[in-house]
Amino acid sequence: MGKKHRRSIKTPARVRFAPSPTGNLHVGGARTALFNWLIARNTGGSYVLRMEDTDRERSTPESEAQILRALEWLGLDWDEGPLRQSERSEIYEAAIQRLRESGAVYPAYETEDELEAMREAARKDKRAPVVRGRRDYSQDELDAFAAEGREPVWRFAVPLPGETLIDDYIRGEVRFGHDSIEDFVVARSDGSPTYNLAAAVDDLEMGITHVLRGEDHLSNTPKQILVMQALGGTPPEYVHMPLIAGPDKKRLSKRHGAASTEDLRDAGFIPKTVLNSLALLGWSYDDKTTMFTPDELIEKFDVARISKSPAVFDIQKLNKMNGRYLRLMSDDKFLETLLEYLRFTGYLEQKGEGAEQIARTVAPAIKRKMSTLAEYDELAGWLHGPLEMDPEAWATIEQDVKHSIQVIGAGMGRLERTDPWDVEHIREDLSDELHILGEAARDFLEPQRVAITGRTISTGIYESLALLGKEQALKRYRVSMGRLAELWADA
Ligand code: GLU
């Protein structure tokens, strides 16, 4: 373990978030984006956004747009960028040229078969299967290749013997013996740079002081340091984050509920919840505090408190936290958040005219019952559109048709006279009717609920009736009574 292990970043840090735009922003990437942002804001530094889009086949503008949308949704603003590696070829070409001139890289002509034979031989000798090209072609040989039109790749001549040391903020000192680092490719045969070359050149050129990224990049770090040193630069400091697993300790994937920030948004989580949960993936402030505003995170965040062991992403915890955040909102804020979600998911559009008004009316009544915004349909979907009978709910009143006709009919008869139509008067009148019939409350009220909502779960029965409005409520009563009457006649 390194001597300076577990230290904080105190001076203004210039950090970067460098996603490859080849898909959605997954949870691990979002955490990297957040932690870098927190370092920049906490130290009064700066935050550079860099698109690592050198892989022309896999990078897409849609993916870049999605990543930007996700960052904006989370409230992670950047100070510079997005810079795109695809627009910086000249910078990489110049760097490759310098590396060629200094002899730090060499042209390699090995075919794929030869490389495989090299790996195989190393495995037989129980050495690490690292690739080294022939570094000592004569000028005549090179001229001959050129005459044949063979274009080489350019490999970095890893200095042998030797070692590269990383003094990582989380893992302490990590040593890489050079015999285990292959002569990695820095330029493809068409002259285009590889990821390790571009990332190293950019981190140097952009004056990045701290690189925070996933532990899966640890083996790239010595290669990038070697490139930077060969270019005469001083490498940044490194923070390699532990990986993220699901509650079953397996690497996080879609199977664990949500793999991307977009999935989390679709699933009805608000940005506050997502940001807060991402922050707790490997970082903690103390043993108790679980809810932080973005400002509190900025103030309290410290890389010295990042754990070394894998972080666990548990969607159940997000559910709870989201419910708490929703309940903490004012009714107005909640309504605004809910409507934004219902618009974003296309729900309002799908339900047609009047849907927004229904959502506005029902919002205060469902706020305390929700954990995710996606539960809206379960709680309030019945209010939209004509009565739809859930077969299981219908079965509860079908059991005893005669009794159901009696109590539902009585409820309906009474409510026809209810005026004004509000929760209090509805409650008063139904309670009075219940008293007259001498029924148990459940046996009287539950059938009313099924008759007007078509479900056994909804907002409270009195609220439900009030929300529907008198006309709608009585219309639904008549539909249900009609069905029961048919059943009765058939019996
Ligand atoms: N583009 C890399 C990735 O998405 C990140 C590289 C880095 O942070 O250095 O995995």
Side-chain angles (χ1 to χ4, degrees), residues 16 18-20 52 195 213 217:
R16 84 308 194 271
S20 304
E52 303 210 313
Y195 156 70
R213 60 186 173 196
H217 279 289

Side-chain angles (χ1 to χ4, degrees), residues 441-458:
R442 256 193 78 81
D443 296 342
F444 177 71
L445 292 174
E446 284 311 307
Q448 316 289 328
R449 184 201 300 280
V450 175
I452 63 144
T453 70
R455 307 180 180 199
T456 51
I457 304 165
S458 72

Side-chain angles (χ1 to χ4, degrees), residues 16-22 26 32 36 50-53 85 195 199 203 211-214 216-217 220 224:
R16 84 308 194 271
F17 175 51
S20 304
T22 54
H26 55 89
T32 302
N36 277 297
R50 178 168 92 211
M51 290 292 158
E52 303 210 313
D53 57 352
Q85 290 188 328
Y195 156 70
D203 285 342
V211 166
L212 177 144
R213 60 186 173 196
D216 47 333
H217 279 289
N220 285 322
Q224 295 172 14

